Amino acid sequence: MINDIRVGGLIAYCSVKRGNKKTLMFIVFVLSLIFMNLVFLPSMIGGMTVLFTGFMQDYPYGDIVIEPSGDNTYINNADNVLQKVRAVEGVRAATKRLDAGASIEHKQKVVGATITGLLPTEEYDISQYPYIISEGDFLGELSRDEIIIGAMIAGTGFGSEIYDNLGEVRPGSLVDVTYSNGVKRTYKVKGIMEGSFELVDLNALVHYKEIEEVYGLEESKATSVVVRIDKQGSEEQVQDKIREAGVNEQIFTWADKSETLIKQAMQSMGAINIMSKFVSLIVGAALVLIIIYINVLNRKKEIGILKAVGITPGSIVLSYAFLSMFYVSLGILAGLTLYFSLMLYFQANPVTFYETMEIRPQIDPMLLIQSIVTMLTLSVIAGTLPAWSVSKESILKAIWGR
Amino acid sequence: MIIVKNLKRYYGTGETAVKALKGVSFEINKGEFVAIMGASGSGKTTLLRILALLDDATDGEYTIRGLQVSSLPEAERSYYRLTQVGYVFQDYALINEMSAAENVYILSMMEGKSRKESYETALEALDKVGLKGKHNRVPDELSGGEKQRVAIARAIAKKPDILFADEPCANLDTNNSKQVLEVFKELNEKYGQTIVMVTHEPWHTEYVDRVITLEDGNLVNDEKKKEVKNNPYVPHF
Ligand SMILES: Nc1ncnc2c1ncn2[C@@H]1O[C@H](COP(=O)(O)OP(=O)(O)OP(=O)(O)O)[C@@H](O)[C@H]1O
Ligand SMILES: [Mg+2]
């Protein structure tokens, strides 16, 4: 066995050393593309995931979100919950929100939207809402007949072509809102918010008290209590502490929340991802198989000679295993170089979606390792099979073709 | 040391079978340099391949030094080919991507010799065939005669019991042929190497001790040109 390895190594070494360098470069180039293909798309999707989870934290869920337990529509006595939560160590800020379904009308144009009732002054510490007003101003403590409209439904933001919108709504325009319980209100648009994210730009914001009043709610009801923490990564500890503090509603971390949401959003992406990985692996394996197969056919006579002079079939097969490992290792190295250069490029020049959503690909070491191992394994198998089948042929047939 | 009894080799079966060897018997002694001659299609190559364990006989017995080699399993035959039998092909059969030294060296590696020992063995064998200083050349950089001498070096480096050569000079001009035959003769005379060589050319027989002639699958003539030194001990190099 040791001899087989030494001799296999020698054969492979000579074949690389004196083989055609152009062919070698071409093979390595193609393999590097296959490797790239294997890791690039998942990295982009990873970047998207990071972006989306960021959105989840910055807008609907904070770091931790408390939602009504059981079938309840509302958290009862959210102020009580807030009081408990704010006392928990590691909590930086918390606020309550009331979400409601509504339709918004402006000059005969109607769109459906979720309207979130929030406490404007508290939101500065909680979310990015106050910071993404592209026109006009954010709500104030006294804003009662005023509304903030997402850019996509306002008809000014990017993506307006895709969704129904209100035409050109600007700060100062008047809109009529019909809530899900039939109550109608007229609001003056105070600002347009543009977060480059559908969950934000397709929504509208009013003061918490508006929703409370429209739905006739009392005793500080809330559809969610949004919590921000001091230290990223301590979500779960804080979550436990909140529970220990006697909050009996459902408590989620942003990760819990995003997981379901992103899972849904990414499902189609994931399918494409898996498909593309699968296809590149098949193509890669087929390529290595073809390369080695042609190589083996070209050298069928040599294989016969080697056998005739007493070289074991094991060494011959091993030499091809080494060869394909060598090709693939070079391919992976070249692929990694290409990959990291592209990563650097995209870090500096992120892909933009909806004009402002910047996607920076994420490097996932596990994915890289997994891809490297898969490619090596597949190629060694693909590279060894043809050699194995020829090395089993009779010497006479291999050398003299009969 | 080689005993062949009633060796037969049929290609195909039944009525259409080609009877390449119809039952040949002979013995070859240690230290002999034997030429196998005969017309084209008389069965020379067929016989040599069986003797070198590259092919199986259909029937008959074949023993080397008392060992019934015709019935060995393939792995052992492979080992025997590696360690005891040298074979020189008509068209050199060198590995083009390997230098002269590597072509020889690889067999010692296979035998389990160390890198250094293998290399020294290879150089020694290349010296013997007169290729000193050319061991780093690849086959493409060598003449036909030189290539054939590399092939001979590869076959003798392991110091085989018997060296087989199938028309080793068929692709060579007279000059190169003479060089190759001289090498054989020297190996035979100086080191007592047993050699069995297939050839067409009558003038090649000047170099050998004995000529076996085949005709249509039968041994028709066995002529000892000089009484060979069937001495009990020939110093093996
Ligand atoms: N694989 C094979 N299948 C069928 N017939 C074969 C095969 N190999 C050889 N033969 C036949 O066996 C006979 C002997 O062939 P062999 O090659 O041994 O002749 P040879 O004496 O070496 O001839 P040459 O001088 O032309 O090399 C020939 O009739 C040949 O056609
Ligand atoms: Mg022949």
Side-chain angles (χ1 to χ4, degrees), chain A residues 3-4 6-7 10-11 13-15 17-18 299 301-302 305-312 315 395-396 399-400, chain B residues 49 54-55 78 81-82 89 91 93 95-99 102 105-107 109-113 115 138 154 158:
Chain A
N3 292 337
D4 283 2
R6 294 200 313 157
V7 171
L10 177 67
I11 298 171
Y13 167 78
C14 289
S15 147
K17 187 171 147 200
R18 306 223 173 74
R299 302 183 44 191
K301 188 170 173 191
E302 282 193 6
I305 292 166
L306 287 170
K307 272 184 74 180
V309 297
I311 304 298
T312 57
S315 331
I395 293 170
L396 295 185
I399 302 184
W400 292 286
Chain B
R49 285 182 191 167
L54 295 173
D55 192 14
S78 173
R81 274 200 300 276
L82 175 66
F89 298 81
D91 56 354
I95 306 300
N96 288 324
E97 284 141 359
M98 291 183 169
S99 68
E102 282 158 346
Y105 172 86
I106 186 171
L107 294 188
M109 289 265 284
M110 192 77 246
E111 281 185 84
K113 287 189 186 151
R115 203 168 257 282
V138 289
R154 175 176 66 186
K158 57 189 154 193

Side-chain angles (χ1 to χ4, degrees), chain A residues 187-376:
Chain A
Y187 294 117
K188 192 168 100 197
V189 174
K190 185 160 191 206
I192 306 291
M193 59 177 176
E194 188 157 6
S196 313
F197 185 45
E198 291 171 32
L199 275 180
V200 173
D201 294 352
L202 287 172
N203 285 6
L205 309 175
V206 295
H207 197 287
Y208 172 85
K209 289 221 169 86
E210 275 300 314
I211 309 283
E212 207 177 27
E213 213 173 277
V214 164
Y215 286 85
L217 304 172
E218 285 172 347
E219 290 164 352
S220 70
K221 297 274 191 294
T223 48
S224 64
V225 166
V226 179
V227 183
R228 296 307 297 245
I229 58 173
D230 286 325
K231 217 171 81 219
Q232 288 293 313
S234 64
E235 290 85 353
E236 292 185 0
Q237 286 112 289
V238 178
Q239 183 187 23
D240 290 343
K241 282 186 194 151
I242 293 175
R243 211 173 270 132
E244 283 161 20
V247 175
N248 296 321
E249 315 292 336
Q250 298 190 71
I251 308 169
F252 301 103
T253 64
W254 65 268
D256 298 335
K257 271 298 186 189
S258 315
E259 217 160 78
T260 36
L261 240 145
I262 294 210
K263 253 184 205 151
Q264 281 163 11
M266 293 288 150
Q267 219 148 42
S268 46
M269 278 295 221
I272 295 172
N273 191 6
I274 289 170
M275 279 293 286
S276 115
K277 258 195 204 180
F278 188 70
V279 170
S280 11
L281 272 182
I282 298 279
V283 171
L287 184 87
V288 175
L289 189 92
I290 291 167
I291 291 168
I292 299 282
Y293 191 64
I294 292 174
N295 202 334
V296 165
L297 284 190
N298 274 334
R299 302 183 44 191
K300 207 168 159 168
K301 188 170 173 191
E302 282 193 6
I303 292 176
I305 292 166
L306 287 170
K307 272 184 74 180
V309 297
I311 304 298
T312 57
S315 331
I316 296 166
V317 173
L318 268 176
S319 77
Y320 281 94
F322 291 148
L323 261 188
S324 23
M325 250 192 290
F326 177 75
Y327 290 149
V328 172
S329 304
L330 278 191
I332 289 172
L333 272 183
L336 278 175
T337 315
L338 208 62
Y339 172 74
F340 282 117
S341 329
L342 269 179
M343 289 295 111
L344 280 179
Y345 174 82
F346 280 114
Q347 293 300 329
N349 312 281
V351 180
T352 43
F353 267 139
Y354 298 131
E355 279 181 342
T356 46
M357 235 166 90
E358 297 190 334
I359 295 181
R360 292 186 166 77
Q362 293 295 305
I363 295 170
D364 176 359
M366 266 319 285
L367 169 79
L368 290 182
I369 293 171
Q370 191 193 332
S371 307
I372 290 172
V373 171
T374 323
M375 251 184 97
L376 272 177

Side-chain angles (χ1 to χ4, degrees), chain A residues 402, chain B residues 39-46 49 90 166-167 198 200:
Chain A
R402 57 179 183 170
Chain B
S40 184
S42 56
K44 307 182 295 289
T45 297
T46 304
R49 285 182 191 167
Q90 181 178 322
D166 189 3
E167 305 203 31
V198 167
H200 257 114

